[in-house]
Each structure stands twice: as structure tokens, then as C-alpha cells.
Amino acid sequence: MNNIIIPYRKNDKWGFSNHKKEVVIDCVFDDVEPFNEGLAVVIRNGTLEFINQNGETVINSANQYYPHHAGSSFHEGISAVRSIDNKTGFINKSGEVIIGFDYSNATHFHEGLCVVSFYDKKQNEHKYGCINKRNEEVIPLQFYEVAKYFSEGFLSIKMDVDGEFKWGFVNIHNQNVIDCVYDNSSNRRDYAESYFHEGVATVYKDYRYGGIDFNGKIIIPFLYQDLGDFSNGVTNALSSDSMLYGYIDMQGKTFIPFKYKFASSFKDGLAKVVDNKTQKVGFINMADELVIPFNYDRASDFENGLARVDSKGYINSEGTQFWE
């Protein structure tokens, strides 16, 4: 943590500091994202750029393409970028186009694969699938919708089953390993897409969430109004009785009592929770100790030791605020 460069806000401009809050890249940007794999996305004068840890612009509009979106970053040495005519391709860290601008949209590489889509003009809809780093279709671009990335060798997919959209899973060989029998959700930000974490995927059926293993066996009963991703053997869950969030283990036993207005999965050992009385956001550890007080209106989850809070800026896992 002491060696990383941290987004730092000074008044209405952004730069980067060290852990001592000493500015190491001047606050001249409109907004910034944390560094990932040695590069960061910044916005300067309304334009997206990549900079290195010396603050030097290495990729910008002079290349005739832009970072794919404000949250873009490099993953596995590759980043999605968008061309002037709004097509999506991929570059390496030298700014070289390694996969042409053949797609309408893309996420990022994970486990060696990336979800991409193209617009089918005849059917007037987007079709989704996966490519590898050689731009070979590993999962044909044929699905109505898929998850953002493969997780633990599985990808959740949405298909039309007898006139209804249902979700299931394929493996990297495009084999349907878990049938499309799960429903769309109306109350989750990511709809019904699912990811395996620690061998368990959260799925939605008959208006409740539960958990299944790699064989599709139910290991967490369909009892919950919401269910997150497992981390260190526990996950957040929304009780259908109290309509409050708590945490359960892989046996479905209560790990942290159901007492929060909202709770997210644990990331970097901390979880975002919302106090049921004040509606303010703080962070707890796995012992249910309040590590960062309920001081914020909104916050991201922690990633690589940092979380963004309100419109103010970033905090570290000790709660240090990197702004002035």
C-alpha cells in the first residue's frame, strides 16, 4: 500500500499522491481513475487519456482512439479502446492495436477471455460472445446477453427458452454445463448475470436468490431477496423476513446478523454497509467491527486498497482521505 500512487483531489482538480498525501503528479485533471498495471485513465479538458506513473500521456486522441470509457483500464496487458467512429478494438501498453475495431462493445480480459458484442442489423439487436487474445471466437457471438467476464471457467448466458429469457452457464468450450433455467431479476443492478466465486454462483429463481455449485447443485437454498458473491467463505444476503442485510457462510448459517439497510460483498477484507438508522455508508471487517465510520452518502467497494466515496475522492483501508 505504501508504494502505490493514489488519486488525489485538490479543490476541483485531480492528480496523484503517495500514501503520505504528498502530490507526485500535479492536480491538473478533471477526473482520474486509480492506476492499474502501470497506467491510469484521466480526463483532461473533456478528453480521456492514459498516463504513466510519471504523469506522462502515453495514449490519447492523437492515436485516433480513446479509452473505452472513464472506468477503462488495462487487464492482462490489454485494454479496450473506442475509435473515432465508435467501434471497439484492443491495444497493448505500447498503444499498438492488437485486435481491430470489429466490435460494438467490450468489457475487459479476464482469465484470458473477453466478452464482446456486435450489432446485428438484420435482427436489430446486439449479439454477445467471447474472444481470446488472438481474436478467436471462443464463445460464438450468438447470445442475447452474457455476464461481463468468465469466472472460474464459467460464463453466465441468457437465452430464449420457449419464449422466456432464462440464464444458465457455459464453459470455455461453449458447452452448456448448467441449463438455462434461472430467471431475470428486477432488483439487482447487474440483472440476473452470475459469477462463480469460491465455487458458488448466486442465481435467481421464483423471486428468490440461492447458490449453486459447478454441477448446478443447490447449496444455498432459495430464501433470500438478494445474495452477493462469496469472499473468504461468506457473502452478503438480504433476509426475506426482516428485509435487512447480513452475512451467511457456505452452509447458509448466519455469520453476521441481519441488521444493515444494505451490505456488499467483502473486498480486500472490508465490506460496504449502510446503517439502518442514519442511512450513511461505512465499512466493516469480517469480525463485524466498524473500521470506517458511517460518514458517507455513497461509496464504491474497495479495490486494491482504495474506495471512492461521495464526490469527494478516495480513502484507503484506514479511512485516510486523499483530498483537500
Side-chain angles (χ1 to χ4, degrees), residues 22-72:
E22 299 167 335
V23 174
V24 296
I25 297 177
D26 290 339
C27 296
V28 297
F29 304 107
D30 303 323
D31 204 352
V32 301
E33 294 287 332
F35 276 91
N36 194 58
E37 297 189 10
L39 297 174
V41 174
V42 301
I43 301 177
R44 187 192 334 236
N45 299 323
T47 301
L48 294 168
E49 305 175 5
F50 283 106
I51 64 170
N52 62 22
Q53 293 186 346
N54 294 321
E56 301 165 334
T57 298
V58 294
I59 300 168
N60 62 13
S61 57
N63 299 88
Q64 301 301 303
Y65 53 76
Y66 305 84
H68 196 258
H69 56 277
S72 293

Side-chain angles (χ1 to χ4, degrees), residues 1 37 42-43 80 100 120 128 179 185 215 227 237 242 283 291 293:
M1 178 66 187
E37 297 189 10
V42 301
I43 301 177
D120 187 330
Y128 294 84
D179 289 339
S185 166
N215 297 312
L227 198 62
S242 66
F283 291 84
V291 176

Side-chain angles (χ1 to χ4, degrees), residues 183-253:
D183 300 328
N184 274 305
S185 166
S186 59
N187 69 339
R188 277 170 69 103
R189 181 174 52 196
D190 289 330
Y191 303 100
E193 65 188 47
S194 300
Y195 304 90
F196 274 96
H197 290 269
E198 300 182 359
V200 181
T202 295
V203 290
Y204 185 72
K205 191 173 184 179
D206 298 330
Y207 307 103
R208 293 288 188 274
Y209 287 94
I212 59 174
D213 65 12
F214 293 138
N215 297 312
K217 179 182 177 182
I218 298 171
I219 56 175
I220 303 294
F222 286 83
L223 299 175
Y224 303 97
Q225 293 293 320
D226 195 6
L227 198 62
D229 298 323
F230 275 90
S231 175
N232 295 317
V234 302
T235 187
N236 53 312
L238 175 59
S239 169
S240 297
D241 297 324
S242 66
M243 293 304 292
L244 294 173
Y245 279 85
Y247 291 82
I248 61 172
D249 63 20
M250 287 190 176
Q251 286 71 49
K253 297 179 180 178

Side-chain angles (χ1 to χ4, degrees), residues 73-84:
S73 60
F74 277 85
H75 294 266
E76 300 182 6
I78 299 173
S79 178
V81 290
R82 195 174 290 279
S83 65
I84 301 299

